[in-house]
Amino acid sequence: MSIIIKNLSYTYNPKSIFEKVALKNINLQIENGDFFGIIGHTGSGKSTLINHLNALTRIQKGSGEIIIQGIDLTQKKLDFRRLRSEVGMVFQYPEYQLFDETVAKDVGFGARNLKLDKKEIEWRVKEAIELVGLNYEEIKDRSPFEISGGQKRRAAIAGVLAMRPKILILDEPTAGLDPRGKKEILDLVQNIKEKMCRTIVMISHNMDEIARVANKIAVMHKGEIVCVKPPKELFSEREILKKYNISMPQATLLANELADKGFEIDRGIVDEEELIEKITNYSGQIANDEEINLNL
Amino acid sequence: MKAVSFGQYYPSDSILHRLDARMKLLLVVLYITMIFFVQSYIVFFAILIFAFALVLISKVPFLKVLRSVRMIMFLMIFMFIITTLFRGGNVGEVALTGDLRFPSIYLSGIIHASHMALRIFCLVLGTSLLTFTTTPVELTDAIERAFSPLKLIRFPVHEMALIMSIALRLIPTLMEETGKIINAQKARGAEFESRNIFKKAKAMLPVLIPLFVSSFRRAEDLANAMDSRCYRGSEGRTRLKQMRYRLKDLIALLVVVAIFFAVLVFRYNFFDFEFITYLGETWWGGSSDLPPPSII
């Protein structure tokens, strides 16, 4: 078990007029190898929750516990260096954190903070830059402020990867990109999962994305986790979707439309490819069966 | 979600909040001038009662007001001690410390020093009441109006006011951004808790540089947005919020002017009131420039 959260609650500005409960009694288990998606509307507590996983937000006294890779986050004298080399965190618009003179130096910032030796840092920087799909030789000496937007985001992600975390947390990694950029970053995240970080936790507002990559999705609503399900199950439960105002992935929407019109098709399809395959096979059947009339 | 609040403004709907900001500015200037004419305990006492009554009317919690005065406490105490120690006595006054060369403390010195401390206290009380009851935007608007005669000598009043209000507007935004960047760098292992001041300054670089970069980006966006809406400075510009003097503004002005007049009467005794002459000879009703008080 890689992340265990028990009875976690969090209140902003406790005991004042600005008091606001952000998390209510969260229980969650994320296993090694999970690609764990978190969805929920703005203000549902997603960010507060993931900030806890990196101890950027400390657990309030007596409001639950978190254990990550055997590290107990409730302890007072927490070894931050160890925790942060276990858990990497990519925030929204990570390119806004770039600051150093060259891309290589910037990517090495986290590794330097781990007090590794020079050779090791250099090696990790190279590895991280190549893992995010940039050309190391070409980009290492350029200023992070003169490369393109997409490259900036990749470089920023590389800066987290250079710490070689086993768990990677991403807060909307595709925000503000065009469809192609979104797809590239998403492919990148999957590639990272394969090659470096076995466990990934990702927040997203884009249902197509999360349905495509996650194997489990947690739905957050007003500081609570209302359910944790594999995408296929989640997106075929219309009750839940309606109650928490969650939209369906495009593929699921289309599958449902078709099912409503009387086609025999699985309502829980979340993947485009799968849907296309089903429809292609179906039209094959139709060609042989003239009784069914396509009037969509 | 943190409740973003800055400055001192305390939202409420008291009459002080509803007064015209220009009038409040004028009243505070009058009030400050008035304070400098006060030089006896009894009048200070009356002013304090007046100021506290205003705090009550403004519905701003007492503790909040006192907290803003607390910041100036150090200055008050420091000035009190220095003045007491170094102010020479009046003609013919014997030092309380006898023949000692240092320190030679005089009763009139203590009175003078305490008057100064009281004066600062009253000043801070009055001016903080202004910032408690007026939003920064109203205040800059009022300042623009108040200084508009300077336009005659080509002083860019409107531009200055605009700079001020943009700066005020961006404070919370930049604070939020700083928080985000700090978190992002912390997640990459940055440590800000160093005791060494040079190390601390160096540790702030990864925060300051992205902050500067984003400020420039913001400034450019804002300039473009203004340009594309045909902003061309103050020339022929009308306002969303028209400022108008109302009856209550006039009444407030009259009240303050009346009090100012009373203070002047107590100071200069224009009408030769006997009780003022009598007060002037006591330690609690007179100034510190009098011959040694007869009471002691």
Side-chain angles (χ1 to χ4, degrees), chain B residues 170-198:
Chain B
L170 281 182
I171 289 173
T173 316
L174 287 182
M175 293 223 311
E176 204 187 313
E177 191 137 326
T178 313
K180 273 187 193 164
I181 297 172
I182 285 182
N183 266 352
Q185 305 301 24
K186 266 191 184 167
R188 290 209 281 165
E191 282 170 51
F192 300 106
E193 284 89 20
S194 173
R195 287 234 183 101
N196 184 326
I197 190 142
F198 291 105

Side-chain angles (χ1 to χ4, degrees), chain A residues 251-264:
Chain A
T252 319
L253 267 178
L254 187 55
N256 273 287
E257 290 274 329
L258 288 170
D260 288 346
K261 298 277 181 195
F263 286 87
E264 272 176 46

Side-chain angles (χ1 to χ4, degrees), chain B:
Chain B
M1 302 267 138
K2 206 163 45 180
V4 183
S5 74
F6 72 102
Q8 284 191 312
Y9 181 67
Y10 183 86
S12 172
D13 65 340
S14 77
I15 179 132
L16 286 188
H17 284 77
R18 278 175 289 152
L19 283 183
D20 190 291
R22 288 169 298 170
M23 183 52 82
K24 276 190 270 189
L25 203 61
L26 175 69
L27 294 184
V28 167
V29 173
L30 275 177
Y31 173 84
I32 291 171
T33 324
M34 172 175 87
I35 297 296
F36 283 97
F37 283 99
V38 180
Q39 47 168 219
S40 65
Y41 285 119
I42 187 161
V43 183
F44 269 124
F45 185 65
I47 298 282
L48 278 178
I49 289 179
F50 171 63
F52 279 121
L54 287 183
V55 175
L56 272 184
I57 292 171
S58 74
K59 295 183 189 162
V60 179
F62 236 75
L63 272 174
K64 264 183 136 35
V65 181
L66 287 183
R67 211 171 289 157
S68 77
V69 178
R70 196 179 59 188
M71 313 248 252
I72 211 83
M73 237 10 166
F74 170 76
L75 183 70
M76 278 168 61
I77 292 169
F78 181 75
M79 279 181 65
F80 180 81
I81 292 171
I82 295 293
T83 314
T84 317
L85 286 181
F86 292 100
R87 188 180 186 276
N90 295 329
V91 183
E93 187 177 354
V94 182
L96 294 177
T97 43
D99 293 335
L100 270 177
R101 264 187 79 84
F102 187 86
S104 53
I105 298 173
Y106 295 88
L107 182 65
S108 65
I110 295 177
I111 292 175
H112 185 79
S114 55
H115 280 174
M116 275 172 75
L118 277 170
R119 195 164 287 138
I120 296 174
F121 186 77
C122 290
L123 284 179
V124 175
L125 209 58
T127 44
S128 57
L129 210 50
L130 174 71
T131 47
F132 272 124
T133 60
T134 320
T135 62
V137 176
E138 281 175 345
L139 210 54
T140 43
D141 255 14
I143 290 173
E144 180 181 351
R145 294 303 190 80
F147 285 94
S148 58
L150 287 179
K151 278 178 190 160
L152 288 179
I153 56 164
R154 300 250 178 120
F155 185 81
V157 177
H158 173 79
E159 282 70 20
M160 291 308 237
L162 185 73
I163 290 170
M164 243 169 91
S165 49
I166 290 176
L168 286 171
R169 159 66 188 78
L170 281 182
I171 289 173
T173 316
L174 287 182
M175 293 223 311
E176 204 187 313
E177 191 137 326
T178 313
K180 273 187 193 164
I181 297 172
I182 285 182
N183 266 352
Q185 305 301 24
K186 266 191 184 167
R188 290 209 281 165
E191 282 170 51
F192 300 106
E193 284 89 20
S194 173
R195 287 234 183 101
N196 184 326
I197 190 142
F198 291 105
K199 272 191 186 163
K200 205 167 183 170
K202 207 176 160 221
M204 285 314 282
L205 270 185
V207 176
L208 291 179
I209 293 173
L211 201 59
F212 268 106
V213 172
S214 80
S215 301
F216 280 116
R217 194 183 57 240
R218 254 176 230 291
E220 205 173 316
D221 287 352
L222 184 60
N224 283 338
M226 285 166 78
D227 241 359
S228 61
R229 282 163 216 186
C230 304
Y231 177 80
R232 52 182 177 146
S234 60
E235 219 177 305
R237 194 171 169 77
T238 54
R239 291 172 176 279
L240 178 63
K241 270 192 191 164
Q242 290 293 338
M243 285 185 164
R244 273 173 57 199
Y245 290 116
R246 287 164 211 279
L247 185 62
K248 54 177 177 271
D249 297 308
L250 186 67
I251 294 172
L253 179 66
L254 286 178
V255 170
V256 172
V257 168
I259 293 174
F260 201 147
F261 185 69
V263 167
L264 287 180
V265 169
F266 265 86
R267 168 91 188 245
Y268 296 110
N269 200 4
F270 304 127
F271 310 112
D272 287 324
F273 287 125
E274 239 173 71
F275 75 99
I276 294 179
T277 323
Y278 165 72
L279 284 179
E281 282 161 10
T282 63
W283 64 272
W284 44 272
S287 82
S288 55
D289 296 329
L290 295 170
S294 48
I295 282 182
I296 300 177

